C-alpha cells in the first residue's frame, strides 16, 4: 500500500528553516523507528500524525513568508 | 457565468534568498539562485481559483513572460487550480530589460485575444517593486482597476473591491471587465500539493511570442548601476538613562 506521505513530507521539508538535510535526517529516523509497526490501528494513528505534520509544515512555510512580506512592505507602528 | 480570468504570474528570486549584487554592478546574481512565484502573484492565483470554486468564473488562465524556466511558475499556478497556461517566450537581452510597460502591452493583447473578463495580478513583484503592471494594463485596455485589493466580490456585472490605502480601507465598485491587483491580505494562498502538481502536468501550456501579439519588447529604460543598500551602522550601548537622553539630543532626535 503506497503511503502518500512518503513523497509529500520530503517535498514539503525541502524548505525547512533549519535546513533540508536536517529535516531529511530526522524524517528518515522517524520512519525507520516505526518500520516494524504492524498493528493497523497504530499504523492509522501514525499516518494521521504524518498528515498533521504536513499541515504544520504548510502553516510554518506560509507564516514565515507572510511575516517576511509584512515586515518588508508594511509600516509597523 | 462565462467569465474568463487571466492571471499574470512572475518568476522571481525566492523571497528568502539573500540577494547579492554582481561585482560589475549591472544587476543581481541570478545564476544558480532559487527562484519561485512572486508571493503577490500566488495571492492573485489563489483569488482567481477561489472565484472559480465559487462558480463565479468559468476558466482561469495563468500567463507568464520569460524564458523556458517560467514554465515552472506556470505549472505551480496550474497545480494551484488554474485551468491552462500561456507562456510568452522572452529570453536573453529582451528578458533582462523586460519591464511593466512591455508586460502590460502583452497582457492587454492577450486579454483581447482570450476575451478575458477579469485580469488579476500581484500588486508588485518583490524583485523590481514597480507596482505598475496592473495599472498600465488597465490603462491600455481602458478598463477600470481595483488595486491593492484586500477583498474582491462579484456583484452582478460589477466588482466590489476593498482597497488597502494609507488612510485605511477604501471600497469601490467597478464595472467588468476590470483589472485587480492583489495585496497581502486578500487571501491565504493554498500550497501546491504533490498530487496536484502531478495532475497539473496534464494541463496545457500554450507558447506565444510577443511578435505574435504585435508587441515590441524593446526597452526604453537603461539600468545604469545597481548598488547594495548602505550597511547598517552598529548600535551604541549606553550606561544610564541620562546618557541615552544626551545621545538622543546630540543626534537631534529629541
Amino acid at each position: 500500500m503506497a503511503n502518500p506521505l512518503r513523497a509529500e513530507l520530503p517535498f514539503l521539508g525541502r524548505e525547512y528553516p533549519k535546513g533540508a538535510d536536517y529535516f531529511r535526517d530526522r524524517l528518515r529516523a522517524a520512519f525507520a523507528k516505526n518500520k516494524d509497526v504492524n498493528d493497523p490501528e497504530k499504523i492509522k494513528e501514525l499516518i494521521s500524525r504524518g498528515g498533521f505534520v504536513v499541515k504544520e509544515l504548510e502553516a510554518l512555510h506560509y507564516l514565515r513568508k507572510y511575516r517576511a512580506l509584512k515586515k518588508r512592505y508594511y509600516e509597523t507602528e | 457565468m462565462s467569465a474568463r480570468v487571466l492571471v499574470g504570474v512572475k518568476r522571481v528570486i525566492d523571497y528568502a534568498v539573500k540577494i547579492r549584487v554582481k561585482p560589475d554592478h549591472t544587476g543581481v546574481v541570478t545564476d544558480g539562485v532559487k527562484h519561485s512565484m512572486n508571493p503577490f502573484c500566488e495571492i492573485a492565483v489563489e483569488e482567481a481559483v477561489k472565484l472559480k470554486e465559487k462558480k463565479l468564473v468559468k476558466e482561469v488562465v495563468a500567463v507568464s513572460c520569460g524564458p523556458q524556466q517560467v514554465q515552472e511558475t506556470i505549472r505551480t499556478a496550474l497545480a494551484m487550480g488554474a485551468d491552462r497556461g500561456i507562456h510568452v517566450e522572452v529570453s536573453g537581452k529582451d528578458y533582462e530589460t523586460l519591464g511593466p510597460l512591455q508586460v502590460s502591452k502583452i497582457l492587454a493583447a492577450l486579454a483581447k485575444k482570450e476575451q478575458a473578463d477579469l485580469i488579476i495580478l500581484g500588486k508588485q513583484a518583490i524583485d523590481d517593486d514597480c507596482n505598475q503592471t496592473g495599472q498600465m494594463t488597465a490603462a491600455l485596455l481602458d478598463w477600470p482597476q481595483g488595486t491593492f485589493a484586500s477583498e474582491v466580490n462579484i456583484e452582478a456585472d460589477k466588482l466590489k473591491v476593498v482597497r488597502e490605502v494609507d488612510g485605511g480601507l477604501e471600497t469601490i465598485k467597478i464595472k467588468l471587465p476590470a483589472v485587480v491587483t492583489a495585496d497581502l491580505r486578500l487571501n491565504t494562498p493554498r500550497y501546491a500539493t504533490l498530487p496536484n502538481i502531478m495532475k497539473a502536468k496534464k494541463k496545457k501550456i500554450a507558447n506565444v511570442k510577443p511578435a505574435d501579439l504585435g508587441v515590441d519588447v524593446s526597452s526604453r529604460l537603461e539600468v545604469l548601476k545597481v548598488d547594495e543598500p548602505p550597511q547598517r551602522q552598529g548600535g551604541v550601548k549606553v550606561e544610564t538613562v541620562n546618557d541615552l537622553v544626551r545621545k538622543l539630543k546630540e543626534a537631534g532626535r529629541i
Side-chain angles (χ1 to χ4, degrees):
Chain A
M1 175 187 67
N3 181 359
L5 288 173
R6 296 232 74 191
E8 192 76 54
L9 280 167
F11 179 69
L12 280 171
R14 74 204 193 289
E15 281 187 47
Y16 198 69
K18 279 202 171 127
D21 294 337
Y22 176 91
F23 182 87
R24 192 196 54 215
D25 294 338
R26 297 313 236 1
L27 182 67
R28 214 173 267 171
F31 269 93
K33 194 175 75 161
N34 290 312
K35 76 169 159 60
D36 290 322
V37 173
N38 277 320
D39 177 14
E41 277 306 312
K42 268 262 174 74
I43 291 178
K44 230 192 284 177
E45 192 192 303
L46 288 170
I47 288 182
S48 79
R49 179 138 62 96
F52 180 71
V53 172
V54 165
K55 290 261 173 300
E56 267 194 329
L57 283 171
E58 289 180 5
L60 173 77
H61 290 324
Y62 173 69
L63 264 178
R64 269 181 81 218
K65 192 181 282 194
Y66 179 82
R67 284 181 181 152
L69 292 174
K70 185 155 179 276
K71 192 165 165 211
R72 268 180 227 175
Y73 289 103
Y74 301 89
E75 254 182 49
T76 40
E77 305 293 316
Chain B
M1 234 268 161
S2 58
R4 177 174 291 134
V5 185
L6 214 63
V7 181
V9 295
K10 187 178 181 191
R11 180 176 183 264
V12 298
I13 295 179
D14 188 81
Y15 84 98
V17 168
K18 183 152 199 318
I19 308 291
R20 281 187 358 255
V21 174
K22 281 195 208 153
D24 61 5
H25 291 269
T26 56
V28 299
V29 178
T30 55
D31 280 340
V33 172
K34 179 167 187 235
H35 284 65
S36 47
M37 188 189 294
N38 181 43
F40 294 108
C41 297
E42 288 178 340
I43 298 174
V45 174
E46 175 65 26
E47 197 62 20
V49 173
K50 269 207 166 94
L51 287 173
K52 194 178 89 161
E53 286 169 348
K54 286 193 221 163
K55 302 226 195 303
L56 293 169
V57 302
K58 206 177 73 171
E59 196 189 28
V60 176
V61 183
V63 181
S64 195
C65 306
Q68 197 56 23
Q69 295 96 313
V70 307
Q71 295 214 355
E72 274 168 39
T73 314
I74 300 176
R75 291 250 168 254
T76 305
L78 295 173
M80 285 173 71
D83 298 292
R84 58 184 168 91
I86 300 177
H87 170 200
V88 181
E89 292 171 11
V90 180
S91 48
K93 200 76 182 51
D94 282 341
Y95 181 58
E96 280 170 40
T97 57
L98 194 68
L101 183 57
Q102 301 100 308
V103 173
S104 52
K105 286 180 181 171
I106 290 171
L107 289 176
L110 278 174
K112 291 199 187 120
K113 183 164 177 271
E114 302 287 330
Q115 294 177 306
D117 304 282
L118 179 58
I119 299 179
I120 310 183
L121 305 174
K123 70 167 181 173
Q124 69 199 67
I126 60 172
D127 51 8
D128 54 28
D129 286 319
C130 286
N131 196 308
Q132 297 165 354
T133 309
Q135 292 85 337
M136 284 179 172
T137 309
L140 287 169
L141 288 165
D142 198 23
W143 285 7
Q145 56 189 261
T147 55
F148 307 98
S150 65
E151 209 183 301
V152 173
N153 281 306
I154 297 188
E155 293 179 3
D157 63 339
K158 294 211 177 65
L159 219 58
K160 194 165 92 165
V161 181
V162 178
R163 310 179 55 231
E164 294 208 18
V165 298
D166 286 346
L169 297 172
E170 179 194 51
T171 306
I172 60 171
K173 229 178 198 167
I174 53 178
K175 282 203 198 125
L176 286 167
V179 176
V180 167
T181 71
D183 211 320
L184 188 62
R185 285 166 269 260
L186 179 58
N187 59 49
T188 303
R190 65 197 62 193
Y191 220 93
T193 59
L194 212 45
N196 284 336
I197 294 180
M198 291 294 141
K199 253 190 268 168
K201 292 200 168 148
K202 298 200 194 107
K203 298 183 184 177
K204 290 216 176 342
I205 299 181
N207 282 317
V208 156
K209 291 198 175 56
D212 301 339
L213 301 168
V215 173
D216 170 21
V217 289
S218 55
S219 176
R220 294 135 182 213
L221 296 177
E222 186 193 340
V223 172
L224 297 176
K225 193 157 181 253
V226 176
D227 277 322
E228 276 183 12
Q231 300 287 16
R232 249 184 72 147
Q233 303 290 19
V236 176
K237 269 197 173 142
V238 292
E239 294 292 304
T240 70
V241 173
N242 285 333
D243 276 348
L244 176 63
V245 172
R246 183 172 52 82
K247 280 222 179 288
L248 286 171
K249 280 194 174 147
E250 272 171 27
R253 298 291 204 178
I254 52 169

